[in-house]
Amino acid sequence: MHTATQQTIDDLVGPLDFDPRDLLRKYEHERDKRIQTKGNTQYVPTVEGKFKDYARDPWVDPGFTRAPIVDHTEVIVAGGGFGGLLVGARLREAGFRDIRIVEEAGDFGGTWYWNRYPGAMCDIEAHIYLPLLEELNYAPRHRYAYAPEMLEHSQRIGKHYGLFDKACFQTVITAVSWIEEQGRWLVETDRGDRMTATYFVLSCGRQSLPKLPGIPGIDEFQGHAFHSSRWDYAYTGGDSGGDLIGLGDKTVAVVGTGATSVQIVPEVAKWAKRLLVFQRTPSTIGVRGQRETPPDWADMSKPGWHKARRENFQRLISNIQQDIDYVHDGWTEISGMLTPIPRKEIVARLGRKPTREEIAYLNEIADYRAMNGIRARVEAVVKDPATAEALKPWYRWLCKRPCFHDDYLEAFNRPGVELVDTAGRGVERLTTRGVVVGDREYAADCIVFATGFEAGITYTRLLGFEITGREGTRLGDHWRDGVRTLHGMTTDRFPNCLFVGGNQQTVAAVNAVHLLDEQARHLAFVLREARKRGASRIEPTTEAVDSYVDLIRSSPRNKAQVDFYASCTPGYYNGEGKARRGEDLFVGGRYPDGAMPFYDMLAAWRASGNLEGFRLG
Ligand code: NDP
């Protein structure tokens, strides 16, 4: 019996112009046809073996040599992307001067060092994505910064904070081990270096190794082929801004339709004689709204604007109500659509607390509506009905990395552009001449593999070197049954070793650089406090690590996340459809309450001032 003001869950949902059961069946069908037994092993890595050339650094001159380094540095940071740069910057601000970044690439930049493909840009608003804007008084030129500007910004940070001074580029770490009697780390490299450090910081990224589909004939193609993250401008002509004049007489095959391909396709479509886009699963393409930053842009005028803007974005996409939406982009808009009724209002309208099932139902309907909007946009933009139909994504919005672009869908209206939809099967094989799907061979002059990167579920899988802590404990063994850390940043048996990045036991942050900055500040605080207290050695206690691991593993939210991703189409988020535990998800095993509560928890921990959970020596 309902009072006049009390409503049912169906009242809250409102009238439906679709049958949710039909959509659910369609989603399950689309997922099931993509599930394959091979999981992650369907790919071949490029880190070594016969595909190593695909990962070769095209941006340095070959033949670089230098004498091995044997010295001591207070802090060695592995990785010179935004993570390593932020660690360097925040440590400098905290009074640390002796810092060395060791980096495989020829310069700082990480993602933006490697990814220089045409059209490359950030897909999070540059004013919240780029680090240290306020400190460097720098305004990104566009709402979404292009890759060269982000590479430049990396160098700007490096120069401003003096991080070039001791940096070692084109240097690959081969082993890291704790020397107990010296209380130091020994870092060995492929250049014969034997460097020691009081502190070792790992900031190597989670998606740095290009991968290729492990399909028959992958090494038989006689034309030109490269991975998206190693773009060959010597072949295509031009640069990341366009002018790909080398493609004027070429048929180009782009394999993959993820976030990278979505940026490449509109550019190559302008220059290639013919462009074939091989699709296994379509991405969601929201509106991006690229524009130049106006010269009188007032949003940067108030001190603290950068932090406030980032936090406002993070809160909005986490369904935490805000009075204002500074960024106001596809992320905040669609996130808002996914939770259209605030919880307080639900309770008021139902006259009681909703059940978990009711919330799940409301969320599911909201997701269908948001995705119907995405699918309607495809239909409105793409003229050929069969192509439009094939470009429609049939899964929940967060099953795959959402994409936003103003020109991707439009590119399929160009006469020379053809979508080759593989109906979820993927490209089946390569021949000497081209690409095979079903019983048809598509001849191509050039293949661009926009097929993504090895997904680092734990650090140890991607690193390519072992970290050996106290009493010979190897990190790979220490974490054999899952990652164990305090705050995702330190672990027992590994003194003075800190981890930075979107690793397990931190949070899955849409704005990854925001997370990196929070971690860099936290790390700088811990090291400064240790120094203040005269300690040269810090290590979390086993009890503190156990209790943090427990907090994560016992959370019902992690179980809900596993169920959600099990319902999704395969991809690197869900171990190609095989993940059954939080620990197997790319975004799994996280601090249960989400990003802002994680940052707030770290801030409260710092404010308490007693370095709780650490043993100092
Ligand atoms: P992804 O792993 O997202 O995409 C790989 C693509 O290759 C998918 O479409 C996949 O299909 C497809 N694929 C794999 N095997 C085959 C096959 N045999 N036949 C046909 N297609 C195949 O890699 P991306 O490089 O696109 O993106 C990686 C991540 O990098 C993004 O998720 C994002 O986080 C980040 N990124 C960020 C950007 C930014 O601006 N900040 C820009 C670009 C990327 P399927 O979906 O079916 O698996």
Side-chain angles (χ1 to χ4, degrees):
M1 181 76 131
H2 301 289
T3 66
T5 52
Q6 278 178 354
Q7 298 183 346
T8 66
I9 204 77
D10 287 329
D11 294 329
L12 265 64
V13 161
L16 292 176
D17 56 359
F18 58 89
D19 185 339
R21 287 164 307 182
D22 287 347
L23 278 179
L24 180 62
R25 269 193 293 275
K26 173 77 174 160
Y27 284 16
E28 286 175 348
H29 173 71
E30 292 293 328
R31 176 199 61 200
D32 291 349
K33 72 186 194 192
R34 287 174 171 82
I35 298 276
Q36 47 167 295
T37 50
K38 284 184 170 172
N40 278 319
T41 60
Q42 68 180 282
Y43 293 104
V44 288
T46 55
V47 63
E48 56 194 5
K50 61 180 171 180
F51 300 106
K52 208 170 174 206
D53 253 11
Y54 277 93
R56 198 182 48 78
D57 185 347
W59 319 119
V60 289
D61 295 330
F64 166 75
T65 56
R66 64 163 170 79
I69 299 171
V70 180
D71 67 1
H72 180 76
T73 302
E74 187 167 18
V75 188
I76 288 187
V77 184
F82 282 156
L85 288 166
L86 275 161
V87 167
R90 297 298 178 209
L91 280 174
R92 286 262 167 169
E93 287 170 355
F96 289 80
R97 313 250 30 104
D98 191 19
I99 302 163
R100 167 173 291 148
I101 295 181
V102 182
E103 167 59 59
E104 178 180 358
D107 205 332
F108 292 132
T111 301
W112 306 110
Y113 174 89
W114 297 107
N115 287 282
R116 304 187 193 195
Y117 55 79
M121 66 176 79
C122 58
D123 59 5
I124 304 294
E125 194 212 47
H127 301 81
I128 59 167
Y129 177 77
L130 288 189
L132 300 159
L133 290 181
E134 217 169 327
E135 289 80 350
L136 274 67
N137 192 24
Y138 182 75
R141 294 193 279 273
H142 290 86
R143 189 177 187 202
Y144 297 94
Y146 292 101
E149 186 179 9
M150 293 189 278
L151 188 54
E152 256 170 58
H153 191 62
S154 305
Q155 291 156 350
R156 183 176 300 115
I157 297 168
K159 283 182 198 139
H160 183 87
Y161 289 96
L163 300 172
F164 278 103
D165 301 354
K166 264 192 122 172
C168 292
F169 296 114
Q170 299 189 59
T171 302
V172 177
I173 294 177
T174 51
V176 177
S177 27
W178 177 250
I179 313 169
E180 180 65 34
E181 51 283 11
Q182 295 178 17
R184 289 175 168 188
W185 288 97
L186 171 66
V187 178
E188 296 170 86
T189 77
D190 67 343
R191 301 264 167 205
D193 305 316
R194 288 177 66 80
M195 314 163 178
T196 56
T198 312
Y199 295 102
F200 177 70
V201 180
L202 195 62
S203 178
C204 293
R206 297 183 74 205
Q207 284 185 286
S208 50
L209 305 177
K211 68 184 189 208
L212 302 173
I215 49 177
I218 182 77
D219 51 351
E220 282 173 20
F221 180 61
Q222 297 292 304
H224 201 71
F226 52 87
H227 189 270
S228 56
S229 64
R230 305 290 189 273
W231 195 269
D232 188 350
Y233 285 106
Y235 179 82
T236 66
D239 56 31
S240 69
D243 255 349
L244 311 175
I245 47 171
L247 299 182
D249 58 351
K250 303 284 191 306
T251 296
V252 179
V254 172
V255 180
T257 50
T260 298
S261 172
V262 164
Q263 296 184 346
I264 289 174
V265 163
E267 294 307 314
V268 174
K270 290 182 204 159
W271 299 95
K273 183 177 83 179
R274 191 155 178 250
L275 168 60
L276 304 166
V277 181
F278 290 87
Q279 170 181 276
R280 189 164 68 181
T281 311
S283 286
T284 59
I285 314 294
V287 175
R288 184 182 52 181
Q290 174 67 315
R291 56 175 176 256
E292 283 184 25
T293 306
D296 55 351
W297 201 60
D299 291 32
M300 290 175 66
S301 55
K302 272 199 207 134
W305 72 267
H306 198 212
K307 182 173 175 351
R309 195 175 182 89
R310 273 179 172 172
E311 293 187 353
N312 170 262
F313 174 82
Q314 184 55 55
R315 289 202 168 90
L316 282 165
I317 63 169
S318 313
N319 187 27
I320 302 170
Q321 276 199 304
Q322 298 287 282
D323 296 335
I324 190 166
D325 178 353
Y326 289 117
V327 171
H328 194 67
D329 66 350
W331 283 103
T332 61
E333 191 194 333
I334 298 180
S335 302
M337 286 172 73
L338 294 185
T339 43
I341 315 179
R343 192 175 165 93
K344 261 194 195 156
E345 192 186 322
I346 297 175
V347 175
R349 287 172 64 183
L350 289 177
R352 60 174 169 80
K353 276 192 193 161
T355 63
R356 195 173 290 176
E357 290 72 28
E358 284 172 331
I359 290 290
Y361 179 61
L362 283 175
N363 291 345
E364 195 179 335
I365 297 295
D367 203 302
Y368 288 141
R369 284 186 170 129
M371 288 299 290
N372 282 343
I374 299 265
R375 289 186 282 264
R377 178 164 183 249
V378 179
E379 222 164 74
V381 176
V382 179
K383 296 201 174 103
D384 173 56
T387 305
E389 202 48 40
L391 283 165
K392 288 183 187 169
W394 298 101
Y395 46 81
R396 288 180 67 164
W397 191 59
L398 285 175
C399 278
K400 283 184 179 283
R401 167 83 180 190
C403 300
F404 303 90
H405 210 287
D406 299 334
D407 309 314
Y408 176 73
L409 295 172
E410 190 62 54
F412 292 96
N413 294 331
R414 284 180 173 264
V417 180
E418 184 182 341
L419 179 75
V420 184
D421 181 46
T422 65
R425 289 192 309 273
V427 163
E428 286 158 40
R429 87 192 143 84
L430 300 189
T431 63
T432 53
R433 285 170 17 103
V435 180
V436 177
V437 174
D439 52 9
R440 188 163 163 203
E441 180 192 61
Y442 295 81
D445 298 297
C446 170
I447 300 178
V448 178
F449 289 105
T451 45
F453 304 84
E454 293 269 307
I457 305 296
T458 66
Y459 319 84
T460 47
R461 186 161 155 251
L462 275 195
L463 282 181
F465 60 87
E466 189 57 81
I467 305 182
T468 308
R470 276 198 290 115
E471 290 141 35
T473 311
R474 299 188 330 171
L475 194 60
D477 296 334
H478 192 51
W479 287 353
R480 180 148 293 148
D481 299 325
V483 171
R484 33 179 292 112
T485 67
L486 175 62
H487 304 154
M489 292 182 66
T490 53
T491 189
D492 50 341
R493 307 187 77 82
F494 292 76
N496 295 4
C497 176
L498 298 105
F499 314 108
V500 169
N503 310 303
Q504 290 205 346
Q505 306 192 354
T506 60
V507 283
V510 163
N511 183 1
V513 184
H514 183 186
L515 169 65
L516 293 171
D517 201 3
E518 294 288 342
Q519 293 178 316
R521 286 168 192 272
H522 191 74
L523 178 151
F525 172 87
V526 171
L527 266 51
R528 195 187 60 208
E529 284 300 304
R531 183 187 260 187
K532 258 202 221 157
R533 293 162 202 225
S536 56
R537 177 176 174 142
I538 51 154
E539 183 185 331
T541 64
T542 299
E543 297 71 37
V545 171
D546 283 345
S547 127
Y548 187 74
V549 171
D550 244 25
L551 170 84
I552 286 171
R553 295 211 183 138
S554 61
S555 162
R557 293 204 195 172
N558 275 319
K559 161 87 176 75
Q561 197 180 31
V562 173
D563 293 344
F564 175 83
Y565 281 105
S567 76
C568 287
T569 42
Y572 74 86
Y573 273 16
N574 66 359
E576 300 296 335
K578 296 200 116 118
R580 295 290 169 269
R581 305 174 310 156
E583 292 78 28
D584 303 329
L585 290 172
F586 187 74
V587 292
R590 300 302 159 138
Y591 184 73
D593 298 341
M596 272 322 295
F598 178 70
Y599 305 151
D600 291 344
M601 179 274 291
L602 291 182
W605 182 93
R606 294 194 294 272
S608 78
N610 52 12
L611 298 184
E612 195 186 326
F614 278 108
R615 191 174 30 233
L616 270 59

